[in-house]
Amino acid sequence: MTILVADSVSPDALRQLREAGHDVTEGPKLKGADLTAALGEQDPAVLLVRSTKVTADDLDAAPSLELVVRAGAGVDSIDVAGASDRGVFVANCPGKNAAAVAELAFGLILAVDRRIPDNVIAARAGQWDKAGFASARGLRGQTLGILGMGSIGREMADRARAFVMPVVAWSRSLTPEAARDLGVTHAETPLDLARQSDVVSVHVASTPDTRGMVDAGFLAAMPGGATLVNTSRSDVVDEDAVADAVVSGRLRYATDVPAGEPQAKSGPFEHPLADRAYITHHVGASTDQATEAIGQEAARVILTYAETGRVENDVNLADQTPATHLLTVRHLDRVGVLAGVLGEMREAGWNVHEMENLVFAGAGAACARIRFVGRPDGGTVARIRDVDHVINATVLEL
């Protein structure tokens, strides 16, 4: 397969792809129109990206594109809906950067509490201010609220125990029983979490349901003097509301994903909270360990697809299709059997949604399971049974 790599990825992972016989082209600086042009020229089967945006124009530029792999967890930089409309698989590499992001999040929590960056800036400017920097609340006994208990949230909970911080957590899928097993307190709602937390760390994915989740109401529910840390996505937090809370002195804020983040990796940067909050440069996943782990996972996804046609970590296959019926066909393993079955389904106007063909030991017979939308009738089923080498056929309503 031809693979276009439009970001910096582990050299060892790329070596594995090349050793497997794939044609790998590296373009770590490809962005925007340059990426679209490169896709048009190379027409790859696979596009591998890390932070690069993938748009509808990019997808249209490469008709042979089959798979887009995001070397990371979130896929909001990829037009997933557009990929689905064009029959292009999208996969990610979840959990591989969890430790790195959790490390940065805890670094920001410590930095806010002890004002570490301000200490360093003052010292570098030739100023000594022990009196000014000597006051800090300390983390021991402070409650950490974790908004989102995926792989990063769980890494945060592990680190909180080392700092003797009680943890309260909320996630859509987190049950009281699961929270108990994880050693955390279950919050019924995000607002319930906000009320109990001295520090809130945000780790939910960016979706239509989570955008603006940390809004003015959430911030108002947090105790005065609390700290908010966002290493998730900027649109999960209403930064205008955060600015009001920070300027008033009610809350302290740190983020690795500021609103309006530049697409370029370097250049000018302006932010209304730049002098009042701690802002890092979207480097949460940027450790050598995480880069290697993510690269290896991306290579595994691509190699699995090349060898089996199966997409690991897919994000855009339907959880449940609109199929109304299941056709089961037991048949001899002969050339043309399924073509005959599908021909009869086409004549009946049955729209196939999912299909699998399982071969029995010895390869003498097989069983095809076909989920479809249509109106079953006895005549069509009878004709399918009459297809050469069909043993039997049945239809079940789903």
Side-chain angles (χ1 to χ4, degrees):
M1 293 192 308
T2 301
I3 303 168
L4 176 60
V5 182
D7 261 307
S8 296
V9 178
S10 158
D12 185 62
L14 299 184
R15 177 186 58 76
Q16 291 180 46
L17 295 173
R18 290 190 173 102
E19 289 181 351
H22 301 295
D23 180 9
V24 179
T25 300
E26 296 180 65
K29 295 185 179 179
L30 289 173
K31 298 283 188 295
D34 291 338
L35 174 60
T36 307
L39 285 164
E41 292 169 4
Q42 299 181 33
D43 201 15
V46 178
L47 173 62
L48 174 57
V49 297
R50 188 164 182 181
S51 58
T52 298
K53 285 184 176 294
V54 181
T55 67
D57 288 342
D58 297 326
L59 298 169
D60 286 336
S64 295
L65 190 63
E66 302 171 23
L67 171 66
V68 178
V69 178
R70 164 94 209 289
V75 291
D76 51 308
S77 58
I78 299 171
D79 184 354
V80 177
S84 299
D85 291 342
R86 293 162 176 81
V88 177
F89 294 108
V90 178
N92 63 352
C93 302
K96 299 303 178 180
N97 61 6
V101 176
E103 288 169 359
L104 179 67
F106 244 99
L108 290 171
I109 292 169
L110 287 163
V112 170
D113 186 64
R114 304 304 293 269
R115 297 177 62 195
I116 296 172
D118 300 318
N119 273 261
V120 173
I121 290 170
R124 287 180 175 176
Q127 298 177 359
W128 187 255
D129 189 9
K130 181 174 181 177
F133 293 126
S135 177
R137 178 182 295 182
L139 299 185
R140 183 184 180 92
Q142 299 296 305
T143 298
L144 173 64
I146 303 176
L147 196 63
M149 278 297 285
S151 55
I152 300 173
R154 295 183 184 208
E155 292 279 354
M156 290 294 293
D158 289 343
R159 285 156 179 76
R161 280 187 277 274
F163 284 91
V164 198
M165 297 182 73
V167 174
V168 58
W170 176 90
S171 187
R172 291 188 186 280
S173 59
L174 184 67
T175 64
E177 295 75 20
R180 186 167 55 251
D181 291 342
L182 291 169
V184 303
T185 299
H186 177 257
E188 293 289 340
T189 66
L191 278 181
D192 183 33
L193 178 141
R195 295 185 187 102
Q196 300 179 59
S197 302
D198 301 296
V199 180
V200 171
S201 194
V202 182
H203 301 287
V204 293
S206 174
T207 69
D209 290 335
T210 62
R211 284 168 196 154
M213 174 177 284
V214 181
D215 57 11
F218 184 100
L219 300 174
M222 293 175 65
T227 298
L228 174 67
V229 175
N230 183 19
T231 54
S232 175
R233 285 293 184 265
S234 61
D235 60 8
V236 174
V237 172
D238 180 350
E239 280 199 351
D240 289 336
V242 171
D244 291 340
V246 170
V247 170
S248 70
R250 278 203 69 253
L251 298 177
R252 301 178 293 182
Y253 183 54
T255 181
D256 187 48
V257 286
E261 174 187 338
Q263 290 303 305
K265 293 188 182 296
S266 61
F269 174 70
E270 294 184 3
H271 192 279
L273 288 173
D275 61 345
R276 292 180 176 268
Y278 290 158
I279 299 176
T280 50
H281 301 230
H282 204 153
V283 294
S286 300
T287 67
D288 292 344
Q289 293 171 336
T291 297
E292 187 61 34
I294 290 170
Q296 294 295 330
E297 178 67 358
R300 186 187 72 84
V301 170
I302 294 170
L303 291 172
T304 299
Y305 178 69
E307 293 165 7
T308 69
R310 187 177 70 252
V311 180
E312 302 278 358
N313 306 336
D314 68 84
V315 301
N316 65 331
L317 285 179
D319 293 328
Q320 182 174 352
T321 73
T324 56
H325 294 81
L326 170 66
L327 171 67
T328 301
V329 181
R330 291 187 296 117
H331 62 94
L332 300 181
D333 188 25
R334 302 289 188 273
V335 174
V337 179
L338 292 182
V341 171
L342 293 173
E344 294 295 341
M345 296 183 71
R346 180 187 61 203
E347 291 300 320
W350 297 357
N351 185 26
V352 174
H353 278 241
E354 296 176 82
M355 179 175 173
E356 62 178 351
N357 191 48
L358 305 175
V359 179
F360 291 97
C367 179
R369 295 166 55 85
I370 306 171
R371 292 174 176 80
F372 67 94
V373 172
R375 292 185 176 182
D377 62 275
T380 299
V381 175
R383 286 190 294 274
I384 290 174
R385 288 176 180 150
D386 287 340
V387 171
D388 286 346
H389 306 303
V390 167
I391 299 171
N392 194 18
T394 58
V395 173
L396 174 69
E397 186 175 359
L398 297 176

